[in-house]
Amino acid sequence: MKQQLTLLLLLLIISCKQPAETVIEPTSIEIETASKSPLEDVLGEAKIFPNDYLGIYKGNLNITTMKGKEAIPMEFHLLETNDSTNYEYKIFYGAERSERAYNLKKTHNPNLYLVDENNGIVLETAYADKTLFSTYEVMGNLLNCTEVFHDDYMEFMITMSRVQDTSMTGNAESAIVKNYPLSVMQKAVLYKE
């Protein structure tokens, strides 16, 4: 019985071994599709940021604070200019349409953009997986911003933590961790016109 089990185990191990690799030159069709993800094969070609997401997006911005919730109208404009490395990046808040006229600028790195507020402030923002990410500190507040782009809408979110509310935990053996409790969240789903 023991010999039969040993033989069975040996057969299983042999059958599970990887065959020797054979080098096969890919065809041109295989080369074209090799860089696509399985999702792109089903849904179509990959989008190129920012060109494939240009437009005007509208909806409501939901603001949550310790005092409660509030919703105000919001618009986001991402539009071409005459300069292929510079895009209009405008945000309008409230019924009075308070305008923030910024510019989104390409850099030498295809995944790094600059949001120029046109007042001396330039924010770095990283692009990955249809999303712009930025984190910055201003006037004692730590802000995290994400903008996720879809075919016909975008998701916009800014969270804010006051740096003065920071607490620390951990120790030298583990790690020292700083906590930044959330004080404000602004979130919107904006639909492309």
Side-chain angles (χ1 to χ4, degrees):
M1 179 78 169
K2 190 174 180 180
Q3 288 177 345
Q4 289 173 341
L5 283 174
T6 306
L7 183 60
L8 182 61
L9 234 123
L10 187 59
L11 287 172
L12 280 172
I13 291 171
I14 291 170
S15 66
C16 290
K17 279 189 176 179
Q18 296 290 333
E21 284 190 30
T22 304
V23 177
I24 300 173
E25 294 297 321
T27 65
S28 61
I29 294 171
E30 289 170 331
I31 292 170
E32 285 178 23
T33 59
S35 62
K36 291 183 184 180
S37 72
L39 203 56
E40 288 172 352
D41 285 338
V42 173
L43 300 176
E45 290 299 313
K47 299 287 186 173
I48 298 172
F49 184 83
N51 296 46
D52 288 332
Y53 299 104
L54 297 176
I56 296 172
Y57 299 80
K58 292 183 179 181
N60 284 321
L61 178 66
N62 297 299
I63 304 166
T64 305
T65 67
M66 300 279 276
K67 296 177 183 178
K69 293 182 179 182
E70 175 187 6
I72 61 171
M74 179 182 174
E75 287 182 32
F76 176 80
H77 297 198
L78 184 58
L79 305 170
E80 300 185 275
T81 66
N82 293 331
D83 179 354
S84 64
T85 64
N86 189 36
Y87 298 84
E88 281 186 29
Y89 179 103
K90 292 184 180 182
I91 301 173
F92 297 87
Y93 294 109
E96 67 282 355
R97 291 177 41 87
S98 177
E99 179 181 356
R100 307 291 191 277
Y102 307 145
N103 291 84
L104 180 71
K105 297 181 176 184
K106 290 182 176 181
T107 67
H108 66 284
N109 181 335
N111 297 316
L112 180 66
Y113 290 82
L114 302 174
V115 176
D116 187 346
E117 294 191 0
N118 299 311
N119 60 3
I121 297 171
V122 179
L123 306 173
E124 292 182 5
T125 186
Y127 177 77
D129 195 25
K130 301 191 295 185
T131 306
L132 285 174
F133 299 91
S134 58
T135 300
Y136 47 93
E137 184 180 331
V138 60
M139 298 180 357
N141 296 298
L142 184 64
L143 289 94
N144 289 294
C145 180
T146 57
E147 296 162 285
V148 185
F149 292 88
H150 302 275
D151 288 339
D152 56 355
Y153 71 99
M154 70 172 290
E155 299 169 81
F156 176 90
M157 184 164 63
I158 294 179
T159 59
M160 185 181 84
S161 301
R162 295 178 346 147
V163 174
Q164 72 183 33
D165 294 339
T166 301
S167 65
M168 291 175 54
T169 187
N171 55 46
E173 289 82 37
S174 61
I176 302 297
V177 176
K178 289 185 178 182
N179 294 297
Y180 295 92
L182 189 66
S183 57
V184 177
M185 180 176 68
Q186 298 180 356
K187 190 173 182 180
V189 176
L190 306 173
Y191 294 92
K192 196 172 189 178
E193 286 192 329

